[in-house]
């Protein structure tokens, strides 16, 4: 038991005065010496004042009512407690001369940490001064005879012309907006007598109440308008005493009467119309003590304010309450829903802001104003504060907006606003307003303050409920929502903070040196919930966490545990970024993850293998040259070597390597890795695992694309047989079955059946995934391709153009490239080369932009454009492109590669078309020299050039080798052979050769135009599944 409680009232006063005087002298001595911290500036004046008041009033306490005596004793007890706390703080923060630099630094830090506590003590001392003032009864008042009335006496009559107007604030002549809440108040008062306005601190509740009071006065001039400050017990008592005195309620001047009971009873019984406004009823402990850790009891008359609000009101009597706490609002308003005041609209906030500036603002500044108002969340107090600060300090709007993101934000938003329409005890700055709310929450429910600290470290919008795994989270959220600091969304499945509330909490945690702790906690929550196997089923979770990942990965972390959490989050969020087509962000996150894991975990750790796999995968996707592909392959092989067998990391690393080797046309390595991938899944999860079947499909496709159609078809048939027993979902089984059947019939050449199956896949996947999902695009492209292969070129073009239009917004450039290639191919097949050309050029531009100039696929696009130029009669333009492509392929692919040989042949044709037959001959001979088997088409083109140069001996030699087979395909060589013989005078041999030629049916091979034939164009490279489309796994659907 404390000394004040143990003693009687008189002894308690003496004890307080003695101890309080000693503390006051200590503060005075330190102040004169210049050693007192700045945080004690308000204490210096308030503590001597309260001591002086108690000295002068102690002789009159015997004349106070029992209720007033109890309140007086409580003030003395609280004041003694506060002085003891001040003495303790003084010892901790006062710097003595001769102390070391370390001690001075520590005490300076303690001074910052204790600032909030001292401010609360200063505010409590101010409350105590006001309560003592209201309880003080002078000698003259005590000696004046009191008037007594019996309860049966009628109430005194009043002048009916004008009611009492006890509003302590002038009207705001520049009040803007708020029409909806003002109309709502008037509307609700038609059906009930109590209305509560709730909202976050600084949203303008008091200002709306003031404006409503003046409007009420205008429409009800004979009614009383009464105002009571509900922020603390002393001011509430003072407000009721002022009402009693102004209305001359019988008994108001009787010291034996309870002012609170007297006014409450009168307001409940009177038939006169009135509006009672209870402003800032924020502290729930004042209204229902005992239930909220106030230390009092429910029947404590000095604290339980809820029973002193008038009840059983007549229809002309209204009570309007403003509070930050929704719980207070709904309970004081008799369980009716409060009017929750929201921030201003964009235009209302602009009008309010302009009203605070003296100078005209140019129209050009409107953009800057709206940007600032957005940063301030259109919160009226913050807007007014910003306008006043800008006016008084001469800063620009842009400078103020910029400062909100920097270290000066707290200084700007802590600045007090001089406003005579706000109560003298109301804090006139946004951050100080919320500091009081935060302090109340800490006292009432510390878990709620912890939860708010956690929320402030995340993205302020759409915080998923499943992330909040803290004790008492449900009741904590209720408290935060009651103070309107947190708003529920989507059926309470997610929550959001005001932008400024988040900044305030972050600054508060920074001041208390607790920010790092809550950053680590938030990171652990998100990292722990982030999926490590990401597919379509996990997309909603990853989408919900994406904004929080973005925020958390921007913080700095110091502990090993938090850095490992960060590396984990960077790795798997990067994997999800790949699915979203955000490759640059994914690559950056993969690099960060790999760097941390390399530093903190052993070389054989599977987490390091995962990060290495992701980094290698992204280096592959972003490769812009053959060197980049080589580097990516090396990284993926490193991931493969780190991974244990069989593991997820091994299977995925092998899968990526298979696709990389496919892209560089390394058949052996591609098939080796493709098989290793699905066999690893088979070992891990069994023959019928969905992952096993999905990887088996990729391997089957690789086999078919490299010309092993029968083997690929065998694997597809095996997938179909295994599907019924697979652990995949029913939808995924259907996808596997349709996809395998489509692959079988496509590579068997049945384009009609393949068209039907791909159409079914499109319909199914549009239901399973979003319409813009890459699976849907992939199958739509395959469907259009089958239509094209059946010769329905116009239809295939329209299908491809529709895909192109619907994928313009996607970041997956390969989808757009495939569409462009499909359209170009349709125009090529229809010999519409002028229409083909722009699509080939766009395809080339996309490859150059995304893969770089020195990439295989870029040169493939060059070759396709050159073919278009050659077909459209522009051989000179085509020739330059062919030369560039051939030079690159000789170095990168080698002279014997099929693609190198094809471009050599095309270069020869472009020369021949221009009449450069000697150059054409050289190109054809170089191409033939690199081939293990004679290419009849190429020999035929060579013979045409030799004939044009009259090189009869060479023509005879080349044509003789192949015309003896008697195949109609060599009839052109027969003619060349006969011509060569005739030109050399070998008549008999020429006649024999002509007789042999006449025995062949060559009617279809006649040259209708006469003249020398042109060389045969080589077949176009098969662009089926051109390049590699990047898409997530089907098994995760």
């Amino acid at each position: 038991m404390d000394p004040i409680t143990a003693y009687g009232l008189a002894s308690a006063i003496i004890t307080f005065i003695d101890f309080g005087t000693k503390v006051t002298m200590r503060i005075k001595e330190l102040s004169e010496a210049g050693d007192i911290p700045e945080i004690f500036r308000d204490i210096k004046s308030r503590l001597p004042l309260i001591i002086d008041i108690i000295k002068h009033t102690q002789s009159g306490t015997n004349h106070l009512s029992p209720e007033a005596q109890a309140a007086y004793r409580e003030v003395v007890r609280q004041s003694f407690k506060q002085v003891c706390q001040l003495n303790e703080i003084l010892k901790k923060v006062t710097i003595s001369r001769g102390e070391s630099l370390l001690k001075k630094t520590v005490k300076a830090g303690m001074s910052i940490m204790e600032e909030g506590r001292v401010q609360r003590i200063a505010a409590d001392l101010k409350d105590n001064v006001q309560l003592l003032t209201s309880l003080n009864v002078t000698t003259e008042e005590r000696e004046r005879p009191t008037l007594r009335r019996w309860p049966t006496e009628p109430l005194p009559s009043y002048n009916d012309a004008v009611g009492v107007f006890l509003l302590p604030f002038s009207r705001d002549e520049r009040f803007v907006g708020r029409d909806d809440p003002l109309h709502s108040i008037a509307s609700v008062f038609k059906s009930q007598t109590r209305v509560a306005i709730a909202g976050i601190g600084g949203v303008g509740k008091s200002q709306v109440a003031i404006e409503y009071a003046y409007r009420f006065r205008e429409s009800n001039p004979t009614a009383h308008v009464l105002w009571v400050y509900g922020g603390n017990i002393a001011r509430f008592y003072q407000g009721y005493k002022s009402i009693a005195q102004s209305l001359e309620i019988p008994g108001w001047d009787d010291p034996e009467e309870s002012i609170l009971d007297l006014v409450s009873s009168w307001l409940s019984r009177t038939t006169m119309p009135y509006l009672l406004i209870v402003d800032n009823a924020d502290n729930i402990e004042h209204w229902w003590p005992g239930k909220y850790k106030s230390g009092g009891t429910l029947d404590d008359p000095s604290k339980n304010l809820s029973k002193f609000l008038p009840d059983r009101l007549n229809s002309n009597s209204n009570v309007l309450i403003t509070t930050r706490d929704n719980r207070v609002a709904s309970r004081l308003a008799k369980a009716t829903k409060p009017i929750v005041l929201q921030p201003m609209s964009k235009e209302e906030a602009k009008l309010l802001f302009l009203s605070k500036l003296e100078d005209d603002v140019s129209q050009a500044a409107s953009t800057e104003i709206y940007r600032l108002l957005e940063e301030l969340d259109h919160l009226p107090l913050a807007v007014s504060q910003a306008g006043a600060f800008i006016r008084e300090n001469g800063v620009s709007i842009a400078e103020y907006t910029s400062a909100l993101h920097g270290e000066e934000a707290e200084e700007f938003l802590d600045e007090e606003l001089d406003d005579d329409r706000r109560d003298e005890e109301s804090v006139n700055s946004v951050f100080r307003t919320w500091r009081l709310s935060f302090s109340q929450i800490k006292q009432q429910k510390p878990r709620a303050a912890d939860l708010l600290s956690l929320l402030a470290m995340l993205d302020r919008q759409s915080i998923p409920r499943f992330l909040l795994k803290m004790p008492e989270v449900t009741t904590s959220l209720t408290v935060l929502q009651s103070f309107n600091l947190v708003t529920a969304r989507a059926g309470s499945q997610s929550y959001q903070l005001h932008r400024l509330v988040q900044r305030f909490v972050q600054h508060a945690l920074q001041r208390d040196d607790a920010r790092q702790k809550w950053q680590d906690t938030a990171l652990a929550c998100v990292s722990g919930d982030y999926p490590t196997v990401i597919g379509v089923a996990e997309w909603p979770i990853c989408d919900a966490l994406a904004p929080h990942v973005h925020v958390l990965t921007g913080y700095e972390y110091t502990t090993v545990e938090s850095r490992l959490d960060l590396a984990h989050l960077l790795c798997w969020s990067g994997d999800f970024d790949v699915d979203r087509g955000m490759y640059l962000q994914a690559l950056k996150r993969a690099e960060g993850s790999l760097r941390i894991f390399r530093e903190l975990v052993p070389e054989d750790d599977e987490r390091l293998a995962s990060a290495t796999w992701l980094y290698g995968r992204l280096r592959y996707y972003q490769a812009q040259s053959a060197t980049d592909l080589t580097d990516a392959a090396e990284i993926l092989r490193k991931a493969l070597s780190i991974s244990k067998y069989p593991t997820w990391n091994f299977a995925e690393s092998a899968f990526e390597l298979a696709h990389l080797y496919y892209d560089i046309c390394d058949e052996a390595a591609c098939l080796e890795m493709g098989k290793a991938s699905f066999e690893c899944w088979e070992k891990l999860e069994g023959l019928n695992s969905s992952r096993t079947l999905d990887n088996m499909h990729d391997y089957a496709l690789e086999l078919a694309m490299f010309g092993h159609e029968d083997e690929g078809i065998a694997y597809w048939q095996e997938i179909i047989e295994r599907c019924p027993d697979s652990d995949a979902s029913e939808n995924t089984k259907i996808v596997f079955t349709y996809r395998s059947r489509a692959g079988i019939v496509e590579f068997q050449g049945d384009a009609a059946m393949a068209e039907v199956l791909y159409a079914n896949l499109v319909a199914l996947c549009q239901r399973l995934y979003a319409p813009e999902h890459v699976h849907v695009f992939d199958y739509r492209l395959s469907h259009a391709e089958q239509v094209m292969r059946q010769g329905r070129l116009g239809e295939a073009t329209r299908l491809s153009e529709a895909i192109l239009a619907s994928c313009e917004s996607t970041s997956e450039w390969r989808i757009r490239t495939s569409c462009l290639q499909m359209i170009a191919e349709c125009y090529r097949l229809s010999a519409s080369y002028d229409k083909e050309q722009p699509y080939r050029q766009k395809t080339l531009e996309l490859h150059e932009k995304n893969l770089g100039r020195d990439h295989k696929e870029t040169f493939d696009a060059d070759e396709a454009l050159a073919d278009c130029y050659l077909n459209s009669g522009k051989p000179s333009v085509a020739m330059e492109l062919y030369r560039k492509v051939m030079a690159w392929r000789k170095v990168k692919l080698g002279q014997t590669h099929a693609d190198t040989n094809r471009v050599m042949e095309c270069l020869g044709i472009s020369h021949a078309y221009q009449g450069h037959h000697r150059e054409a001959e050289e190109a054809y001979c170089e191409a033939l020299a690199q081939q293990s088997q004679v290419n009849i088409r190429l020999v035929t083109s060579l013979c045409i050039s030799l004939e044009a140069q009259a090189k009869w001996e060479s023509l005879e030699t080349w044509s003789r080798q192949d015309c003896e087979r008697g195949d109609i395909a060599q009839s052109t060589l027969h003619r060349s052979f006969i011509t060569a013989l005739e030109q050399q005078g070998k008549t008999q041999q020429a006649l024999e050769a002509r007789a042999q030629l006449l025995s062949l049916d060559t009617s279809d091979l006649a040259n209708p135009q006469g003249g020398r034939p042109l060389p045969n164009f080589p077949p176009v490279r098969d662009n089926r599944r051109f390049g590699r489309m990047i898409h997530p796994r089907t098994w995760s659907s």
Side-chain angles (χ1 to χ4, degrees):
M1 182 179 295
D2 61 76
I4 297 299
T5 306
Y7 300 154
L9 180 57
S11 299
I13 291 173
I14 294 171
T15 302
F16 167 73
I17 292 173
D18 181 55
F19 188 70
T21 302
K22 291 179 181 178
V23 174
T24 302
M25 292 299 296
R26 175 67 175 151
I27 293 175
K28 182 178 179 182
E29 290 172 1
L30 292 171
S31 180
E32 291 173 351
D35 294 331
I36 189 169
E38 182 65 20
I39 59 175
F40 284 88
R41 60 184 182 275
D42 293 331
I43 301 294
K44 290 188 294 184
S45 59
R46 293 181 186 176
L47 183 55
L49 178 61
I50 196 170
I51 293 173
D52 186 63
I53 292 174
I54 291 177
K55 280 181 181 178
H56 288 84
T57 58
Q58 60 179 322
S59 60
T61 55
N62 293 331
H63 299 278
L64 296 175
S65 65
E67 178 190 82
Q69 280 197 11
Y72 194 97
R73 182 182 294 108
E74 177 65 18
V75 170
V76 175
R77 189 185 72 81
Q78 290 289 340
S79 299
F80 183 80
K81 179 180 177 182
Q82 290 150 5
V83 171
C84 291
Q85 292 174 352
L86 284 172
N87 189 49
E88 175 189 344
I89 295 171
L90 268 174
K91 293 177 181 178
K92 292 166 62 177
V93 305
T94 303
I95 299 174
S96 304
R97 287 183 172 83
E99 287 187 330
S100 66
L101 178 60
L102 177 60
K103 285 189 176 182
K104 289 180 179 179
T105 304
V106 171
K107 289 189 174 182
M110 292 298 297
S111 176
I112 295 173
M113 294 175 63
E114 295 288 356
E115 181 176 356
R117 188 178 172 195
V118 174
Q119 286 180 348
R120 289 194 297 272
I121 293 172
D124 291 340
L125 286 175
K126 185 178 179 182
D127 291 345
N128 293 341
V129 168
Q130 290 168 335
L131 182 55
L132 288 172
T133 303
S134 66
L135 291 171
N136 183 24
V137 181
T138 64
T139 304
E140 291 76 11
E141 287 177 326
R142 288 197 303 272
E143 292 174 353
R144 189 173 66 187
T146 59
L147 298 175
R148 292 186 176 274
R149 287 189 174 85
W150 298 102
T152 55
E153 288 185 273
L155 294 172
S157 61
Y158 294 92
N159 182 355
D160 292 338
V162 180
V164 172
F165 192 70
L166 292 182
L167 196 64
F169 311 109
S170 61
R171 191 171 191 175
D172 185 359
E173 298 301 332
R174 293 182 290 184
F175 184 87
V176 297
R178 298 309 199 185
D179 290 335
D180 288 344
L182 287 168
H183 291 153
S184 296
I185 294 170
S187 177
V188 176
F189 269 140
K190 293 178 181 179
S191 58
Q192 60 192 57
T193 56
R194 286 190 186 182
V195 173
I197 307 173
I200 191 172
V203 79
K205 301 179 294 295
S206 298
Q207 303 308 308
V208 169
I210 293 170
E211 179 63 22
Y212 181 80
Y214 276 98
R215 295 187 184 188
F216 179 87
R217 174 71 167 176
E218 290 172 351
S219 57
N220 301 277
T222 62
H224 301 310
V225 177
L226 313 173
W227 185 279
V228 176
Y229 183 79
N232 59 60
I233 299 169
R235 289 289 304 283
F236 188 85
Y237 182 94
Q238 189 180 44
Y240 264 38
K241 186 173 182 180
S242 177
I243 292 172
Q245 186 173 3
S246 298
L247 296 177
E248 297 183 354
I249 296 175
W252 75 269
D253 51 358
D254 184 354
E256 300 297 326
E257 284 282 3
S258 167
I259 290 294
L260 298 178
D261 281 328
L262 184 70
V263 174
S264 174
S265 176
W266 187 88
L267 292 173
S268 298
R269 292 186 295 115
T270 185
T271 58
M272 296 193 65
Y274 68 82
L275 170 66
L276 171 64
I277 298 175
V278 182
D279 189 32
N280 286 313
D282 299 325
N283 195 336
I284 200 169
E285 295 179 4
H286 293 162
W287 300 90
W288 296 276
K291 298 174 74 173
Y292 300 97
K293 304 180 182 179
S294 67
T297 65
L298 288 172
D299 297 323
D300 187 344
S302 68
K303 291 184 177 180
N304 189 0
L305 299 183
S306 63
K307 69 178 186 178
F308 297 118
L309 281 186
D311 207 352
R312 301 185 302 277
L313 304 181
N314 64 65
S315 58
N316 296 320
S317 303
N318 298 322
V319 178
L320 180 62
I321 303 148
T322 73
T323 176
R324 299 175 201 158
D325 193 333
N326 285 352
R327 297 170 300 172
V328 174
S330 60
R331 293 176 190 180
L332 290 184
K334 300 296 185 182
T336 57
K337 191 174 181 180
I339 297 172
V340 178
L341 197 60
Q342 301 295 339
M344 285 181 152
S345 69
K346 180 179 175 181
E347 294 304 324
E348 286 177 340
K350 181 181 179 181
L351 290 173
L352 176 62
F353 178 74
L354 293 176
S355 73
K356 302 300 177 182
L357 300 179
E358 294 177 351
D359 300 330
D360 292 336
V361 179
S362 66
Q363 189 68 28
S366 291
T367 303
E368 293 182 354
I369 292 174
Y370 286 131
R371 188 180 300 117
L372 171 59
L373 297 178
E374 185 72 23
E375 288 294 328
L376 298 176
D377 273 343
H378 304 123
L379 202 66
L381 179 56
V383 172
S384 299
Q385 191 177 343
F389 189 96
I390 289 170
R391 183 186 69 245
E392 295 171 5
N393 294 278
V395 301
S396 70
I397 297 172
E399 288 172 339
Y400 192 96
T401 305
S402 178
L404 293 179
H405 292 277
E407 297 179 355
E408 295 179 323
E410 185 171 10
E411 175 191 346
F412 280 31
L413 296 171
D414 237 3
E415 183 79 9
E416 284 282 353
L417 173 67
D418 185 16
D419 190 345
D420 59 4
R421 279 169 293 94
R422 288 179 64 84
D423 189 89
E424 62 180 8
E425 289 199 25
S426 294
V427 179
N428 293 340
S429 82
V430 176
F431 275 16
R432 294 190 184 190
T433 297
W434 292 337
R435 198 170 291 133
L436 294 176
S437 297
F438 199 34
S439 177
Q440 286 182 16
I441 292 170
K442 280 184 175 179
Q443 292 175 8
Q444 293 176 17
K445 195 170 185 64
R447 295 285 193 193
D450 289 346
L451 181 59
L452 185 59
S453 301
L454 171 65
L455 297 175
M457 293 298 106
L458 300 167
D459 183 84
R460 68 181 186 86
Q461 301 188 71
S462 298
I463 303 170
R465 176 67 170 78
F466 64 78
L467 265 186
L468 310 178
K469 298 180 176 66
M470 297 179 66
E472 304 175 23
V473 67
T474 301
T475 52
S476 296
L477 283 168
T478 301
V479 171
L480 297 179
Q481 289 178 263
S482 297
F483 278 87
N484 294 286
L485 296 172
V486 171
T487 305
R489 301 178 63 186
S492 297
Q493 294 306 304
S494 66
Y495 299 86
Q496 72 175 25
L497 293 174
H498 285 282
R499 181 184 284 103
L500 289 182
V501 170
Q502 182 185 48
R503 287 184 186 160
F504 158 72
V505 177
Q506 289 179 351
H507 281 288
L509 294 174
Q510 189 72 39
R511 286 165 57 108
D512 295 343
D513 199 24
R515 177 164 178 156
Q516 190 66 56
K517 167 192 170 184
W518 289 108
Q519 284 180 185
D520 292 353
T521 303
L523 176 66
C525 286
V526 176
S527 179
D529 276 339
Y530 209 91
T532 54
V533 176
I534 300 173
V536 177
E538 289 73 33
W539 278 21
I541 298 175
C542 296
D543 271 327
L545 295 179
H548 310 294
V549 172
H550 178 74
V551 170
L552 291 171
T553 53
Y555 297 147
E556 294 291 332
Y557 300 94
T558 55
T559 66
V560 171
E561 183 178 3
S562 62
R563 293 186 67 211
L564 287 173
D565 284 340
L566 175 62
H568 173 91
L569 188 59
L570 286 170
C571 180
W572 296 111
S573 62
D575 190 21
F576 179 56
D577 288 336
V578 175
D579 292 350
R580 295 191 294 173
M582 302 172 66
Y583 302 120
L584 293 179
Q585 177 172 288
L587 182 60
K588 182 178 179 182
R589 288 178 174 177
E591 287 175 328
S593 175
L594 183 59
R595 184 168 55 252
I596 295 172
F597 279 135
R598 278 176 175 169
E599 178 185 344
L600 299 179
V601 303
E603 285 192 3
D604 60 347
D605 194 293
E606 284 294 317
R607 290 172 293 181
L608 179 58
S610 296
T612 307
W613 158 76
L614 178 63
Y615 181 57
R617 178 189 187 195
L618 286 160
R619 286 290 301 272
Y620 164 37
Y621 293 171
Q622 292 296 302
Q624 296 189 358
S625 67
T627 302
D628 289 344
L629 285 173
T630 301
D631 293 342
E634 184 178 348
I635 296 168
L636 287 169
R637 284 195 294 268
K638 178 67 174 177
L640 199 67
S641 66
I642 297 173
S643 306
K644 298 177 178 63
Y645 184 88
T647 59
W648 186 96
N649 289 320
F650 185 95
E652 287 300 293
S653 298
F655 171 83
E656 296 298 342
L657 278 169
H659 282 278
L660 187 153
Y661 289 135
Y662 172 80
D663 281 356
I664 62 176
C665 302
D666 189 337
E667 178 181 342
C670 170
L671 297 181
E672 178 189 0
M673 289 295 99
K675 188 174 184 181
S677 177
F678 94 76
E679 287 181 343
C680 183
W681 283 119
E682 193 174 61
K683 186 79 171 178
L684 271 173
E685 300 185 350
L687 294 172
N688 300 323
S689 159
S690 58
R691 293 183 176 98
T692 303
L693 298 182
D694 195 48
N695 280 263
M696 186 183 290
H697 166 79
D698 286 310
Y699 180 57
L701 181 59
E702 288 153 4
L703 283 167
M705 291 299 291
F706 277 117
H708 308 286
E709 291 90 348
D710 292 342
E711 293 180 59
I713 288 171
Y715 276 111
W716 276 319
Q717 288 171 338
E718 187 174 349
I719 292 171
I720 294 171
E721 293 170 3
R722 291 187 185 184
C723 262
D725 299 323
S726 171
D727 60 1
S729 67
E730 290 304 314
N731 285 329
T732 302
K733 289 178 183 179
I734 297 172
V735 171
F736 282 175
T737 302
Y738 278 8
R739 190 176 62 178
S740 298
R741 286 175 178 166
I744 291 171
V745 296
E746 178 181 354
F747 284 93
Q748 287 177 339
D750 190 350
M753 192 65 219
E755 175 193 350
V756 173
L757 291 169
Y758 281 123
N760 289 337
L761 274 170
V762 171
L764 176 61
C765 290
Q766 282 179 332
R767 294 197 303 270
L768 293 178
Y769 319 125
E772 67 276 8
H773 192 283
V774 287
H775 275 324
V776 176
F777 286 131
D778 192 12
Y779 297 138
R780 287 177 68 184
L781 281 166
S782 297
H783 173 251
E785 181 181 331
Q786 303 314 310
V787 172
M788 178 190 71
R789 292 181 183 278
Q790 295 175 74
R792 302 193 330 254
L793 303 178
E795 182 182 348
T797 301
R798 289 191 296 274
L799 289 171
S800 301
E801 287 174 340
I803 301 169
L804 185 64
S806 59
C807 74
E808 281 298 330
S809 60
T810 180
S811 60
E812 179 46 81
W813 67 273
R814 289 186 181 273
I815 297 174
R816 300 196 299 278
T817 301
S818 296
C819 290
L820 293 170
Q821 289 173 324
M822 186 79 70
I823 296 169
E825 186 67 8
C826 289
Y827 284 131
R828 185 192 70 82
L829 292 172
S830 62
S832 301
Y833 303 121
D834 290 340
K835 293 181 179 179
E836 175 192 4
Q837 181 180 323
Y839 290 96
R840 297 294 186 193
Q841 289 172 328
K842 289 178 184 177
T843 302
L844 177 59
E845 290 169 5
L846 279 175
H847 279 93
E848 286 184 330
K849 177 182 177 181
N850 293 280
L851 297 178
R853 181 64 260 176
D854 189 36
H855 193 279
K856 176 181 179 296
E857 291 185 24
T858 304
F859 284 100
D860 290 344
D862 275 326
E863 182 186 21
L865 178 59
D867 289 348
C868 178
Y869 284 136
L870 189 57
N871 282 325
S872 57
K874 301 173 183 176
S876 60
V877 182
M879 183 174 64
E880 296 304 318
L881 285 174
Y882 285 136
R883 282 175 173 165
K884 182 166 60 174
V885 175
M886 185 175 68
W888 186 88
R889 287 181 178 171
K890 282 183 176 180
V891 175
K892 302 296 184 179
L893 304 181
Q895 291 192 342
T896 60
H897 195 280
D899 288 348
T900 307
N901 284 330
R902 182 188 184 280
V903 78
M904 285 181 190
E905 183 177 357
C906 289
L907 180 61
I909 294 172
S910 63
H911 280 301
Y913 275 29
Q914 298 176 80
H916 305 157
H917 292 291
R918 184 176 59 80
E919 292 83 354
E921 176 191 352
E922 292 174 356
Y924 296 145
C925 288
E926 184 178 3
L928 285 166
Q930 307 302 327
Q931 297 182 0
S932 57
Q933 293 182 345
V934 175
N935 184 320
I936 301 300
R937 182 194 64 256
L938 188 52
V939 172
T940 302
S941 297
L942 172 60
C943 288
I944 293 172
S945 290
L946 291 172
E947 185 176 351
Q949 299 176 77
K951 292 186 176 182
W952 310 119
E953 291 183 7
S954 297
L955 178 60
E956 178 187 354
T957 302
W958 281 104
S959 57
R960 182 187 293 274
Q961 295 176 10
D962 297 291
C963 69
E964 292 149 352
R965 293 169 55 188
D967 191 342
I968 193 171
Q970 284 91 43
S971 58
T972 303
L973 289 176
H974 277 81
R975 293 196 190 94
S976 298
F977 180 55
I978 294 168
T979 303
L981 291 173
E982 289 176 341
Q983 292 297 326
Q984 295 178 77
K986 299 179 181 180
T987 306
Q988 184 60 37
Q989 295 181 38
L991 288 173
E992 293 174 0
R994 190 175 295 279
Q996 184 181 7
L997 180 60
L998 290 173
S999 66
L1000 301 174
D1001 181 9
T1002 60
S1003 56
D1004 294 334
L1005 298 174
N1007 185 359
Q1009 297 178 355
R1012 187 175 290 114
L1014 292 174
N1016 295 322
F1017 199 74
V1020 175
R1021 297 176 68 252
D1022 190 352
N1023 287 337
R1024 182 191 333 225
R1025 304 179 184 275
F1026 189 91
R1028 179 192 185 296
M1029 289 195 61
I1030 305 165
H1031 54 262
R1033 297 299 208 173
T1034 305
W1035 49 259
S1036 58
S1037 64

